[in-house]
Amino acid sequence: MTEEELYTTYKGVYLPKVVHSTESLKYYEEFSFRPDDILIVTYPKSGTTWMQEIVPLILSQGDPELVDTVPNWDRVPWLEETRACDLNLDQRPSPRVFITHFKYDMMSTGFFKVKPRVIYVMRNPRDVFTSYFHFSRMASYLVTPGTQAEFLHKFLDGKAIFGSWFDHVKGWMSSAEQQHIMYISYEEMILDLEASVTRMAQFLDTPLDSEMIRKITDRCVFKNMKKNKMSNYSLVPSTMMDQNVSEFLRKGIAGDWKNHLTVAEAEHFDEFYQKKMQDVKYNFFWD
Ligand code: A3P
């Protein structure tokens, strides 16, 4: 099916109609944040699901009950998704944890007023692209990506859902609310998950001893997390996500793009990247 059939355009970006209804977008616009809320912000395919495992485990000081019994979409709800409206989020005790894929300029007035804590996770866009391509093949609510070359054009042009990776990262990097935001990359988490968990715990004012950090890290490494049916999307019907086509927790590595992009595609990507990111003064992990 086409973009016109499957997507709605909201604040200039495509969103899949099935998971973002008019009501859910209104719900998000009117959502009342609390100052101690924790908002995990990602461009899709940058490590959202991973964070839905890590942050609850930090807050529970390693107690796995929540991550073992509650699916990630209810444990750490996606604010702009239809499901959020049904979860009585205003009844949840603090600190509440949510995710959003929205760009900075799509955030609500309530967000800018209350300034909750944000963990912004970014990932090498080449790997985001690769992960997104495979995900688009297995999720029935997304437009099938066509060939890799075709999807590359869409991705670079910001015609994938949630818009341009470049706009997303640039917007959040230049936020005026930096004192409330912790920036971390997927690659740092791959390289040293213990150090990443420690840094997140400090940001969230949750003291953890080394045994707790080790326990959390062990649960969240790819091969272990992949076994958690509350986190691996195996509870989602195959009519919505066909994991026989591509698993949601697919490879979980940094640099898989090298196995997929042709030399010409990688060069085109680099050229595009340099042009788009030339004014950003930040040492990205993959630069
Ligand atoms: P790959 O498709 O490259 O494997 P999101 O949750 O934002 O949609 O991102 C999905 C990507 O994060 C997938 O990347 C998935 O495998 C990866 N991921 C999820 N959990 C992970 C973990 N514990 N360790 C490493 N990567 C993980």
Side-chain angles (χ1 to χ4, degrees):
M1 291 212 275
T2 62
E3 276 81 2
E4 286 66 34
E5 288 163 316
L6 287 177
Y7 299 163
T8 182
T9 303
Y10 178 73
K11 299 192 177 178
V13 305
Y14 283 141
L15 301 181
K17 285 182 201 165
V18 175
V19 279
H20 308 285
S21 61
T22 311
E23 295 70 44
S24 72
L25 294 169
K26 185 164 183 295
Y27 174 84
Y28 162 75
E29 280 169 13
E30 293 170 357
F31 188 74
S32 293
F33 283 100
R34 299 178 195 154
D36 58 2
D37 283 340
I38 300 160
L39 191 58
I40 297 161
V41 184
T42 55
Y43 185 80
K45 314 321 288 176
S46 300
T48 327
T49 314
W50 202 359
M51 293 297 287
Q52 287 172 307
E53 197 88 351
I54 295 173
V55 172
L57 282 166
I58 290 176
L59 296 177
S60 70
Q61 301 195 306
D63 181 345
E65 198 199 331
L66 188 68
V67 296
D68 277 346
T69 54
V70 180
N72 54 4
W73 52 83
D74 282 355
R75 185 199 308 155
V76 181
W78 187 4
L79 273 185
E80 63 270 23
E81 203 237 355
T82 43
R83 179 106 185 108
C85 315
D86 303 328
L87 292 173
N88 295 323
L89 297 180
D90 55 335
Q91 309 289 318
R92 287 201 174 185
S94 291
R96 304 177 300 179
V97 194
F98 308 115
I99 57 167
T100 181
H101 285 324
F102 277 172
K103 294 190 294 158
Y104 187 64
D105 61 6
M106 295 171 75
M107 297 304 289
S108 63
T109 318
F111 169 82
F112 290 109
K113 205 165 95 200
V114 175
K115 303 181 179 32
R117 293 167 292 176
V118 169
I119 303 182
Y120 185 71
V121 186
M122 53 204 145
R123 184 180 189 188
N124 186 334
R126 298 160 188 87
D127 281 329
V128 170
F129 165 76
T130 300
S131 182
Y132 219 157
F133 178 66
H134 290 288
F135 182 58
S136 303
R137 292 169 49 240
M138 63 85 101
S140 64
Y141 56 93
L142 300 183
V143 172
T144 42
T147 64
Q148 179 171 278
E150 283 164 349
F151 190 64
L152 183 58
H153 282 295
K154 285 189 186 176
F155 179 82
L156 294 177
D157 288 348
K159 296 286 187 313
I161 57 165
F162 291 96
S164 155
W165 179 91
F166 302 90
D167 292 349
H168 205 286
V169 170
K170 284 164 79 169
W172 279 100
M173 295 305 298
S174 55
S175 146
E177 328 293 338
Q178 305 252 341
Q179 71 276 27
H180 302 284
I181 305 181
M182 173 184 159
Y183 296 96
I184 192 161
S185 66
Y186 179 95
E187 290 72 18
E188 284 168 88
M189 290 160 64
I190 289 281
L191 189 71
D192 193 340
L193 188 54
E194 271 194 29
S196 302
V197 169
T198 306
R199 194 149 80 79
M200 287 184 225
Q202 280 161 358
F203 177 73
L204 298 176
D205 294 322
T206 308
L208 297 178
D209 62 32
S210 49
E211 178 54 23
M212 288 170 187
I213 291 172
R214 200 202 48 73
K215 207 169 137 190
I216 294 170
T217 304
D218 186 58
R219 280 204 58 110
C220 294
V221 292
F222 187 74
K223 70 172 178 2
N224 293 340
M225 193 181 129
K226 194 171 171 164
K227 291 181 207 147
N228 185 357
K229 66 177 190 313
M230 294 295 153
S231 307
N232 63 15
Y233 285 90
S234 56
L235 298 177
V236 174
S238 60
T239 46
M240 189 142 182
M241 288 185 186
D242 188 349
Q243 302 217 39
N244 291 318
V245 173
S246 180
E247 288 180 297
F248 192 100
L249 271 78
R250 192 183 58 90
K251 276 209 181 161
I253 59 170
D256 188 40
W257 65 271
K258 292 177 194 151
N259 301 317
H260 294 272
L261 293 188
T262 64
V263 173
E265 285 168 348
E267 282 174 3
H268 176 60
F269 205 120
D270 281 354
E271 217 174 287
F272 195 91
Y273 181 94
Q274 297 308 337
K275 219 181 288 167
K276 279 283 200 181
M277 302 299 279
Q278 60 185 345
D279 53 334
V280 182
K281 305 272 171 279
Y282 187 85
N283 281 336
F284 291 104
F285 206 86
W286 51 85
D287 274 345

